[in-house]
Amino acid sequence: MRRQLSAHRGTVVAIVLLQLVQTTANLLLPTLNAAIIDEGIVGGNTRVILDLGGWMAVIAAVQVLTAILAGYLGAVVAMEVGRQVREELFDKVQSLSSQEVAAFGAASLVTRATNDVTQIQNLAVLVFTMLVAAPAIFLGGIVLAMHQDLALSGIVVAVVPVLAIIMVLIVRRLVPLYREGQGLIDRISRVLREQIIGASVIRGFVRQRHEIRRFDGANKDLTRNNLQSALLIAGMMPMIMLVVNLSSVGVVWFGGHRIQSGEMKLGALTAFIAYILQILIAIMMAMYVFMTAPRASACAERIQAVLGTEPAIADGTGPADGTGPAGNTVEFRGVAFAYPGAEAPVLEGISFTAVPGTTTVVIGATGSGKTTLLNLLPRFLDATAGQIAIGGLDVRSLPLATLRGLIAVVPQQSYLFSGTVADNLRMGSPEATDAELWEALTTAQAEDFVAELPAGLQSPVSQGGTNFSGGQRQRLCIARALLRAAPVYVFDDSFSALDYGTDYRLREAMEPLLRSATVLVVAERVSTIVDAGLILVLEDGRLVAQGTHQELMETSPSYQEIAASQLVLEENP
């Protein structure tokens, strides 16, 4: 947060100056009040009462004005710091690989960007409100109280350490509780998110009672944690008030005796009591900061854990001569990939060349590594061995934005964003006209159902596209990719929800558009890939065969087995 505050150094200085003025005014009022009592009321001097009363009114007005300005500026800076932290978190998450995002968890990242940042904002508001006021009132109150009566100041010396010990003991216990509490918020967010997204699965398997118990367990743990911290704070308040009230009684008791003996004036006693109250108010202000600081500290640690994470996928610096890829041929040379700490690699020894104007199809059993293979090309994951090149350039040498600008991807999960149909399509080409959108929809065999929507291109899309069927989502995602005139297209099992007729018409319509591009496709149906220029057969993460359909039917037992099994299924529906 230090870096964010440095951007508002001028405002922070203004807050400090305003609080100094406010504190000075606050400390002057009891002394003026004492003078009015001793010199004006007791001394019978009306002129003194009017003059000093006028000054007290002016000083009180200055105090109110500076307090309002300092509070306003403090709130502005605190909110601005929160905004900047959220922006940095968002930018950092965008730079992380899918592995790193999964390590934190989506629910935890959302909590860190919302709840955790809010806790820091709350602390910042308190700090800016009491940045100078609390210590200045505390120290100034002690000095002025001693100036009023040195002997009576012993009560202050005795009370302050007691209050400090109470707060330190309680704050030490609050820190681990707050740290644990933020983790429990992550847990309950994760459980709730899973239950909302998987509601149909839960209902389908009649697991509502089990999920209720699971949520109840997480909820009770969070409640127990919050109750423990609330009890500590609730216990701190009466202990502090007990000390405060006893000290006030002591001041009045001993002060009364000193007035009776003539060692102290009545006005001085009222000023002394006011300064004692100001000192105790300063301690209370510090107490509120100390109550908020442990939670904010735990939140700051969690935010820093994200901001301090170095992305595993580093941005490329680009070719030394500034040139781009020479063509769009895709080459995999001895490529392997393994997750950190895994016993065996997911992919190993993958070598092939995908040339422009042809379609390269990846086929294999579930879990053979097809999606992982395609994710290596745009560097959603980074190969742990070997080299991947586009147009003769290693993909690691290209800036990520440049590399991904060369590739139009249709992911395995057909995800749409909340907004309109047009908004989702224009992610592929922000400048596309409505005519170009309709052209892409026609190619993707999505024109008919979009035209039937009440608002056409402006029809709403819910988060994730849940108001469309699986096949409709796939076709909209394909249309989105076709809007980008990219040299390389990647379709990760993007036709699985389509019937054979729609699948055939879609591929026929795309063929002229992709004639000069390099196309890589993950496919499941052998019947739809017989015309592919190159078919890659994966088995347990290894490339066991490659060639055309005819070549593989003659030479690859694995491909023959896949083709035979699908032929049996098609003949016996």
Side-chain angles (χ1 to χ4, degrees):
M1 199 168 71
R2 188 178 303 166
R3 182 159 47 86
Q4 287 84 6
L5 288 176
S6 64
H8 305 280
R9 188 179 292 112
T11 308
V12 173
V13 170
I15 293 170
V16 171
L17 293 175
L18 287 169
Q19 289 192 5
L20 282 173
V21 174
Q22 174 197 351
T23 303
T24 303
N26 198 34
L27 290 170
L28 284 174
L29 290 174
T31 299
L32 291 176
N33 186 57
I36 289 174
I37 292 172
D38 292 336
E39 299 176 20
I41 298 175
V42 177
N45 191 336
T46 306
R47 184 68 182 175
V48 170
I49 296 175
L50 293 175
D51 289 345
L52 294 181
W55 280 110
M56 285 185 71
V58 172
I59 291 172
V62 170
Q63 180 191 13
V64 170
L65 181 61
T66 53
I68 291 173
L69 287 174
Y72 173 77
L73 293 176
V76 168
V77 174
M79 297 306 109
E80 186 64 22
V81 167
R83 182 190 65 80
Q84 291 175 353
V85 172
R86 280 191 293 268
E87 282 186 355
E88 289 187 25
L89 275 171
F90 182 82
D91 291 342
K92 175 60 72 171
V93 171
Q94 292 300 306
S95 72
L96 299 178
S97 69
S98 55
Q99 291 173 257
E100 291 155 343
V101 171
F104 284 109
S108 178
L109 289 172
V110 170
T111 302
R112 294 174 200 231
T114 52
N115 181 275
D116 289 9
V117 173
T118 300
Q119 297 298 333
I120 291 176
Q121 283 181 320
N122 292 340
L123 176 64
V125 169
L126 285 177
V127 167
F128 287 130
T129 304
M130 309 168 187
L131 183 67
V132 175
I137 288 174
F138 180 77
L139 296 174
I142 291 176
V143 171
L144 292 173
M146 293 175 69
H147 176 72
Q148 295 295 332
D149 193 286
L150 187 60
L152 206 57
S153 302
I155 295 176
V156 178
V157 175
V159 166
V160 170
V162 175
L163 293 174
I165 291 171
I166 291 173
M167 286 190 292
V168 168
L169 290 176
I170 291 178
V171 168
R172 284 182 60 185
R173 181 72 185 100
L174 282 175
V175 171
L177 279 175
Y178 282 148
R179 188 176 290 116
E180 179 190 17
Q182 294 306 117
L184 291 172
I185 292 175
D186 280 351
R187 179 185 166 196
I188 202 168
S189 299
R190 182 173 61 252
V191 172
L192 188 59
R193 182 175 183 271
E194 288 175 349
Q195 292 175 345
I196 292 172
I197 294 175
S200 57
V201 177
I202 294 169
R203 292 167 188 159
F205 286 95
V206 196
R207 298 289 288 173
Q208 290 96 326
R209 289 187 179 277
H210 170 76
E211 292 301 317
I212 288 171
R213 287 193 298 270
R214 194 159 74 99
F215 180 81
D216 188 53
N219 196 19
K220 283 180 177 177
D221 288 343
L222 180 59
T223 302
R224 190 180 303 113
N225 175 275
N226 289 342
L227 183 59
Q228 289 177 348
S229 57
L231 287 174
L232 281 171
I233 294 172
M236 178 165 62
M237 186 65 69
M239 285 190 288
I240 289 178
M241 291 309 299
L242 177 64
V243 175
V244 168
N245 290 331
L246 288 176
S247 62
S248 298
V249 170
V251 168
V252 173
W253 174 265
F254 291 109
H257 283 289
R258 290 181 63 78
I259 290 174
Q260 190 175 18
S261 63
E263 297 175 309
M264 189 178 190
K265 294 181 179 180
L266 178 60
L269 178 60
T270 60
F272 192 92
I273 293 174
Y275 287 126
I276 288 290
L277 290 176
Q278 288 189 5
I279 293 167
L280 296 177
I281 287 172
I283 294 173
M284 297 287 284
M285 292 164 67
M287 180 193 71
Y288 284 117
V289 173
F290 287 143
M291 285 192 303
T292 309
R295 187 185 294 274
S297 175
C299 293
E301 290 175 7
R302 287 156 48 83
I303 291 172
Q304 187 56 42
V306 178
L307 296 178
T309 300
E310 287 298 326
I313 298 176
D315 205 6
T317 56
D321 58 1
T323 59
N328 52 329
T329 299
V330 174
E331 298 174 86
F332 278 62
R333 305 171 189 144
V335 172
F337 175 78
Y339 288 103
E343 295 181 359
V346 179
L347 297 170
E348 189 173 14
I350 307 295
S351 297
F352 67 90
T353 300
V355 298
T358 64
T359 298
T360 300
V361 177
V362 185
I363 195 168
T366 300
S368 58
K370 304 186 294 295
T371 294
T372 302
L373 177 66
L374 293 194
N375 282 341
L376 296 176
L377 182 59
R379 295 187 69 198
F380 297 150
L381 299 171
D382 245 351
T384 51
Q387 185 184 49
I388 303 171
I390 295 180
L393 287 179
D394 192 320
V395 294
R396 286 177 174 159
S397 70
L398 295 171
L400 288 172
T402 301
L403 170 64
R404 291 166 183 170
L406 299 172
I407 305 169
V409 179
V410 182
Q412 187 176 42
Q413 182 184 5
S414 302
Y415 193 86
L416 300 175
F417 297 86
S418 56
T420 65
V421 172
D423 293 336
N424 276 273
L425 294 178
R426 286 196 171 98
M427 290 192 73
S429 177
E431 306 301 324
T433 64
D434 284 0
E436 290 170 330
L437 298 186
W438 283 114
E439 183 180 349
L441 288 169
T442 302
T443 304
Q445 307 302 301
E447 179 186 18
D448 291 344
F449 77 82
V450 173
E452 292 173 359
L453 296 172
L457 290 172
Q458 300 307 316
S459 297
V461 178
S462 62
Q463 184 179 5
T466 53
N467 56 330
F468 292 98
S469 69
Q472 290 173 334
R473 287 199 299 271
Q474 279 194 339
R475 282 176 280 171
L476 288 173
C477 289
I478 291 169
R480 181 171 63 194
L482 293 176
L483 280 166
R484 172 181 284 186
V488 179
Y489 287 83
V490 173
F491 298 92
D492 186 2
D493 199 13
S494 307
F495 312 98
S496 58
L498 307 181
D499 61 78
Y500 281 99
T502 303
D503 190 324
Y504 175 78
R505 291 192 298 273
L506 174 57
R507 293 175 190 269
E508 286 291 308
M510 288 195 311
E511 195 275 332
L513 293 178
L514 307 181
R515 191 165 290 157
S516 62
T518 301
V519 182
L520 291 93
V521 179
V522 167
E524 301 292 343
R525 302 170 182 165
V526 171
S527 59
T528 62
I529 63 172
V530 293
D531 296 326
L534 179 65
I535 300 173
L536 309 175
V537 184
L538 285 185
E539 193 172 290
D540 296 329
R542 289 172 174 76
L543 185 58
V544 296
Q546 58 179 300
T548 64
H549 171 74
Q550 206 62 40
E551 292 169 348
L552 292 175
M553 286 298 292
E554 296 174 0
T555 61
S556 172
S558 297
Y559 187 75
Q560 293 168 6
E561 183 179 346
I562 295 171
S565 64
Q566 292 192 15
L567 183 61
V568 169
L569 290 173
E570 291 171 8
E571 290 178 347
N572 301 283

